[in-house]
Amino acid sequence: MDLIICHTNADWDTFGAALGIACLRPKGRIVVPGKLHQAIKSFLAQHHADPPLIEQQQVPLSILRSLTLVDCHQHSCLGIGTAWMEHAIAAQLPITIYSKHTDLSADLPGHHHIEAVGATTTLVVESLQENASKLSPTQATVMALGIHQGTGSLALINTTSRDIHALAWLLEAGANQTIISEALTLEASTIHQNLLSAEDLMSSPVKTIRPDTTVTDAQRLFLRYGHSGLCVVSNTNKFQGIISQRDIDLAVHHGFTDATVQGYITLDIKTIEPKTPLHEIQSLMVIYDIARLPVLDKGELVGIVTRSDVLRQVSSAKTTKDTHLNDSTTTVYGRLETSLRAHQTVLSAQNLWTLLNQIATAAHQQGWHLYVVGGAVRDLLLASDDTVAPLKDIDLVVDSFHSPVVDGAGVVLAQKVQQEYPDAELRIHGAFKTATLSWRAEPGQPPLIIDIATARTEFYPYPAANPEVEPSSIQQDLYRRDFTINAMALRLTEPISGLLLDFFGGTVDIQQRQVRVLHANSFIEDPTRIFRAVRFAVRLDFVMAPQTETFIRYAIHSGIYTRLQAEDKPLPALQTRLKAELSYLFQADYWSKALAMLDKFGALSCLHPSLALAPELWRQIHRVGYWQQRFIKDLNHREMEPPTWLIRLEVLLAQVEERAQIAINLQLPQHSIQRLQKLANTENTLLTKLQHKSSNSFIYQSLIAYDLPTLLLVSVRHPKRIGTYVWHYITQLAHIQCPIDGHALQRLGYCPGPLYRTILAALTYAALDGHITSSESAETYLEQHYPLT
């Protein structure tokens, strides 16, 4: 038997070299001391490969014919191979050694192939080339993986031209690039997992409770945070144990509402430290069937790792392998860099990528992590490999680990950035621990705006209210968001910069092109999310996830919004925040499709219970855009133009009698509120005046008292009875001018005064009715009707 011995716990390079030697020696058998790397075992099982492996106890010395060592050329590294080496030396059997480690002196006899190349597999491949050996595609693929692993896919400084030529030969021999890419991605993910410890997984700060808290207050905390257990700490933050929601619920059931939680603490709790590795955490959870592990640093509670945290990390390897979004040629992080380098900023000789790296460095120096979150990550995932993602908004979140800052880490970081860029304007939103940095741009160009928030969690005290927020971890910050496609984050700080956090399946939903809500009560708590869900679905050409659509219909049909509007409570989600959503929707190109979907769900009842899109209302809303453009063009009064979204919204609200109150609730501009308040009187007045065919001057006098938006609104609502006259007024009558002005009147001998207004009005009306057409006929009209005395 030709025996091939690898070093302990062989990696791809060692195993690839050993497999190549077995191809050179058809009767060769491979022994791997210790354990074969898990990635290699998985690969062999998945591709049904059957390499010539043999257990060490199956190799009696009597059948040994030759000995080959891979990456092992010192006696101290032999381990279980010592007996075989001594026998081979005594029996004068051929001994061969392959290794790339030229920095280690060889103290073992034999024929040495020890050369400075990137991968030991390269040396074996060169021997295969000399012998014109034939390889199967699987053998070529394994050896190609060996060269990739040894050279960092040809990126490490130890890479030589010999490695490149060897890899090219393996590709010609049938090495499968697709399989190589998948295996390398899985390998990188496995290495990443092996580097993770509790401080990388834990949620921090932890929601805690004092031992003297009453059972009633504890139950309220469980409701607020949605946890199944809470950590109990002393006044000095020393960990004491855990109480469960079940124990508290039972205490309430038995009438112990005034008791303290002291008597319900579970004391015998397994704990871990910040540096506890992931595999140890997994073992503890499996052995003791533990759902959560408190993380203690010198007895103080600094975080908590849950079973869900571990499962996300364990499953991340498969998720990464199954998606094209993190392949070897293009990554989300790479797309971010490309897009931001292409982004022209108002900063001299500065691109946005450089600026974000400076902010990330400042965060890292504070011991914090910095993430790009929300829509920017979604748009990066949606962008194709050969395009630059259109990143309109850059939202950053600071996770300050287990050392939260009183004023908010986001605010502190923004202040540090402003010290480097004094031209930046800094605005701080204290309630939400958020800061905004903005740089002025050239006229006609958008400003540069970057939001930096502190990672936080939130709680809605009642539906449609503003949420109450508290500092928290990046996991909790993403959990509070609306949809999975918006609940992802990309890390900008070391270690593992470029790490994509996707706890809720956002990448899968992007691939399946669906909008999926995170929480069952999401639409109850914030009805604006209904409008956001529709807006994203239409804008991105996504479908609504079936359960998300069910949640929307349940929230609307529950009648909760109607009941809330009858109560005397501030309802920003049905007022200012809803106005913002309506603004986004009505000014978008896809507004019609989005509005139709909202009507299908019955979501317009958030504005008024009876509001729905009847065919005539549809015609009015579609008509208003065309009429608005035409009217403005004819009058050339663009400064009179209300925003398109606002006039469309006014047409929608005009369908109900409570239109003005809804406008007040939405906090629409004052002129819009007044227009809707006076709408009924305006329409009645004009319908009465214009019910018969009238002269041009009468039409002019009837309409000139109203501003353009009012005329636009009544025209689309009454296109025949009022709109025809308004159209005539806008396109023709408004352009007819009096042939004589005040200077001409003075020249003719009329004394300046109030009479001028009367005369000029009379002349205008006469011109409108065709009685005067020139300055001469105007002077004749004056002689007849306003003679000089």
Side-chain angles (χ1 to χ4, degrees):
M1 177 186 293
D2 297 315
L3 190 62
I4 305 162
I5 304 178
C6 301
H7 69 63
T8 304
N9 298 327
D11 56 16
W12 277 113
D13 186 21
T14 300
F15 184 74
L19 184 62
I21 295 167
C23 294
L24 286 168
R25 298 177 182 145
K27 294 184 179 180
R29 294 295 181 267
I30 302 171
V31 172
V32 179
K35 295 181 179 180
L36 191 63
H37 196 285
Q38 182 59 45
I40 302 176
K41 291 173 65 177
S42 299
F43 175 91
L44 296 176
Q46 180 179 355
H47 297 283
H48 307 291
D50 187 22
L53 290 167
I54 191 170
E55 298 291 340
Q56 63 187 66
Q57 61 269 22
Q58 295 178 312
V59 187
L61 295 177
S62 59
I63 65 172
L64 198 63
R65 294 195 318 168
S66 70
L67 186 65
T68 303
L69 305 180
V70 182
D71 280 340
C72 178
H73 52 277
Q74 289 187 322
H75 194 278
S76 59
C77 299
L78 278 176
I80 65 171
T82 301
W84 292 321
M85 174 60 74
E86 292 176 350
H87 175 77
I89 294 174
Q92 297 184 341
L93 300 178
I95 300 172
T96 309
I97 299 175
Y98 284 89
S99 179
K100 65 182 178 182
H101 299 292
T102 57
D103 55 328
L104 300 176
S105 58
D107 59 7
L108 294 175
H111 181 59
H112 292 181
H113 295 274
I114 305 174
E115 302 181 50
V117 291
T120 301
T121 304
T122 295
L123 301 174
V124 178
V125 168
E126 290 175 343
S127 297
L128 290 167
Q129 289 177 278
E130 291 174 3
N131 286 271
S133 300
K134 300 295 184 182
L135 303 178
S136 70
T138 300
Q139 292 169 333
T141 300
V142 171
M143 281 183 265
L145 282 166
I147 295 177
H148 272 286
Q149 190 264 330
T151 63
S153 292
L154 308 180
L156 298 179
I157 59 174
N158 65 338
T159 304
T160 67
S161 60
R162 294 169 66 181
D163 299 296
I164 298 172
H165 291 310
L167 183 58
W169 185 79
L170 291 171
L171 291 175
E172 292 175 356
N176 190 310
Q177 276 286 65
T178 301
I179 296 176
I180 292 171
S181 177
E182 291 177 349
L184 289 174
T185 301
L186 182 59
E187 172 81 359
S189 178
T190 303
I191 293 172
H192 163 226
Q193 289 189 27
N194 291 336
L195 295 174
L196 292 177
S197 60
E199 63 184 353
D200 299 307
L201 305 175
M202 69 185 188
S203 297
S204 177
V206 184
K207 301 308 173 189
T208 61
I209 193 170
R210 304 294 184 196
D212 57 354
T213 304
T214 66
V215 168
T216 297
D217 289 340
Q219 188 181 48
R220 189 178 299 114
L221 289 173
F222 277 117
L223 174 64
R224 180 182 184 93
Y225 297 116
H227 297 332
S228 58
L230 287 173
C231 292
V232 184
V233 296
S234 66
N235 292 333
T236 58
N237 205 41
K238 294 295 183 181
F239 178 74
Q240 295 191 352
I242 288 179
I243 59 169
S244 71
Q245 182 181 10
R246 175 175 172 77
D247 288 339
I248 293 301
D249 288 343
L250 285 173
V252 172
H253 175 72
H254 293 305
F256 293 98
T257 55
D258 295 330
T260 66
V261 301
Q262 180 71 58
Y264 300 92
I265 302 174
T266 302
L267 302 174
D268 185 18
I269 297 295
K270 299 294 180 183
T271 63
I272 54 178
E273 297 179 348
K275 296 299 183 182
T276 302
L278 174 58
H279 67 87
E280 289 187 20
I281 297 172
Q282 288 178 269
S283 296
L284 284 171
M285 288 185 168
V286 171
I287 293 171
Y288 297 101
D289 191 23
I290 300 172
R292 66 185 70 82
L293 285 167
V295 184
L296 306 186
D297 187 4
K298 298 177 181 178
E300 292 189 9
L301 181 67
V302 295
I304 193 162
V305 175
T306 67
R307 187 176 288 155
S308 296
D309 297 328
V310 174
L311 287 173
R312 289 190 192 102
Q313 291 298 334
V314 171
S315 64
S316 63
K318 182 181 186 304
T319 301
T320 302
K321 184 175 83 67
D322 289 345
T323 176
H324 73 283
L325 299 173
N326 283 316
D327 59 32
S328 58
T329 59
T330 175
T331 66
V332 185
Y333 194 56
R335 290 180 190 173
L336 176 67
E337 179 178 358
T338 300
S339 300
L340 296 187
R341 286 191 183 279
H343 188 97
Q344 299 298 316
T345 73
V346 298
L347 304 177
S348 176
Q350 179 100 44
N351 61 58
L352 196 49
W353 175 250
T354 303
L355 175 60
L356 253 63
N357 274 279
Q358 291 174 344
I359 300 175
T361 300
H364 183 70
Q365 291 171 348
Q366 296 293 319
W368 304 332
H369 272 316
L370 183 69
Y371 296 88
V372 175
V373 298
V377 181
R378 178 197 67 232
D379 293 342
L380 286 168
L381 293 170
L382 281 168
S384 58
D385 296 342
D386 56 350
T387 61
V388 174
L391 302 180
K392 297 180 181 178
D393 301 311
I394 300 295
D395 293 329
L396 305 178
V397 167
V398 186
D399 187 348
S400 53
F401 293 102
H402 51 272
S403 56
V405 181
V406 174
D407 293 329
V411 173
V412 174
L413 184 59
Q415 291 170 336
K416 289 184 176 296
V417 174
Q418 194 194 32
Q419 292 175 2
E420 298 294 325
Y421 296 92
D423 292 339
E425 178 185 349
L426 173 62
R427 287 176 293 160
I428 297 175
H429 316 286
F432 298 102
K433 306 297 184 184
T434 302
T436 300
L437 290 167
S438 58
W439 286 262
R440 297 182 182 274
E442 297 295 328
Q445 297 295 322
L448 172 60
I449 300 176
I450 297 177
D451 286 328
I452 307 179
T454 307
R456 62 190 190 266
T457 187
E458 63 186 24
F459 174 77
Y460 287 84
Y462 55 88
N466 274 330
E468 298 173 0
V469 300
E470 298 177 9
S472 189
S473 64
I474 185 64
Q475 290 96 329
Q476 289 296 315
D477 191 274
L478 296 176
Y479 184 69
R480 72 178 178 82
R481 294 173 184 266
D482 48 13
F483 312 112
T484 59
I485 60 174
N486 295 332
M488 294 176 286
L490 192 65
R491 186 184 290 176
L492 298 176
T493 43
E494 295 290 349
I496 323 177
S497 58
L499 175 67
L500 177 65
L501 301 186
D502 178 17
F503 302 121
F504 315 108
T507 53
V508 174
D509 286 332
I510 285 177
Q511 289 178 319
Q512 295 179 353
R513 303 191 70 80
Q514 69 173 355
V515 176
R516 182 165 59 87
V517 74
L518 263 67
H519 318 291
N521 286 312
S522 187
F523 301 120
I524 295 290
E525 292 180 334
D526 188 353
T528 60
R529 287 173 175 163
I530 299 173
F531 291 75
R532 286 171 58 80
V534 168
R535 179 158 60 86
F536 284 124
V538 175
R539 179 166 75 86
L540 302 175
D541 195 24
F542 280 21
V543 298
M544 203 76 72
Q547 190 172 50
T548 296
E549 184 171 331
T550 299
F551 290 150
I552 290 175
R553 294 188 184 278
Y554 174 78
I556 292 170
H557 296 157
S558 70
I560 181 67
Y561 309 133
T562 302
R563 294 198 304 272
L564 288 170
Q565 289 167 337
E567 299 176 2
D568 187 20
K569 287 183 178 179
L571 302 171
L574 289 170
Q575 297 169 349
T576 53
R577 298 211 305 270
L578 183 54
K579 179 187 75 172
E581 282 302 319
L582 291 167
S583 169
Y584 292 139
L585 187 147
F586 272 123
Q587 62 185 302
D589 294 338
Y590 51 79
W591 69 267
S592 180
K593 187 176 180 180
L595 191 61
M597 185 179 293
L598 287 169
D599 184 57
K600 181 188 73 171
F601 289 140
L604 298 180
S605 62
C606 292
L607 293 166
H608 189 275
S610 66
L611 194 55
L613 289 177
E616 176 54 30
L617 177 55
W618 259 122
R619 285 191 287 269
Q620 292 175 16
I621 299 176
H622 279 281
R623 191 183 300 133
V624 73
Y626 172 68
W627 281 35
Q628 183 184 29
Q629 292 177 357
R630 177 60 189 271
F631 285 178
I632 292 168
K633 177 181 178 181
D634 276 294
L635 281 182
N636 196 27
H637 282 179
R638 191 165 294 275
E639 69 278 2
M640 295 176 62
E641 177 187 6
T644 302
W645 73 267
L646 183 57
I647 198 66
R648 283 175 175 154
L649 179 56
E650 288 182 24
V651 173
L652 181 66
L653 299 183
Q655 299 305 302
V656 297
E657 293 183 2
E658 296 84 353
R659 58 181 77 96
Q661 185 57 51
I662 299 175
I664 293 171
N665 292 341
L666 292 174
Q667 298 184 19
L668 297 185
Q670 191 60 36
H671 59 79
S672 180
I673 295 172
Q674 292 175 350
R675 189 157 45 245
L676 292 171
Q677 286 174 331
K678 299 176 181 178
L679 181 60
N681 288 335
T682 301
E683 289 179 335
N684 289 335
T685 300
L686 291 178
L687 288 171
T688 300
K689 285 185 175 182
L690 302 174
Q691 60 181 321
H692 303 296
K693 187 175 182 180
S694 305
S695 65
N696 286 343
S697 60
F698 182 80
I699 296 172
Y700 185 92
Q701 293 178 68
S702 299
L703 300 180
I704 195 173
Y706 301 100
D707 61 16
L708 177 61
T710 298
L711 294 178
L712 184 62
L713 184 57
V714 297
S715 294
V716 296
R717 285 172 52 79
H718 304 278
K720 295 182 179 179
R721 299 179 61 189
I722 297 179
T724 302
Y725 295 102
V726 171
W727 192 273
H728 181 53
Y729 165 74
I730 294 294
T731 58
Q732 297 183 37
L733 303 184
H735 300 282
I736 297 176
Q737 298 180 351
C738 176
I740 289 180
D741 59 15
H743 295 292
L745 290 178
Q746 189 173 11
R747 189 178 65 253
L748 291 172
Y750 291 90
C751 295
L755 182 60
Y756 270 31
R757 181 185 298 274
T758 303
I759 293 175
L760 292 174
L763 288 170
T764 299
Y765 301 151
L768 287 166
D769 291 333
H771 300 314
I772 58 174
T773 57
S774 64
S775 57
E776 291 79 7
S777 59
E779 291 179 11
T780 301
Y781 180 89
L782 287 173
E783 292 174 358
Q784 295 174 352
H785 296 84
Y786 297 94
L788 291 169
T789 56

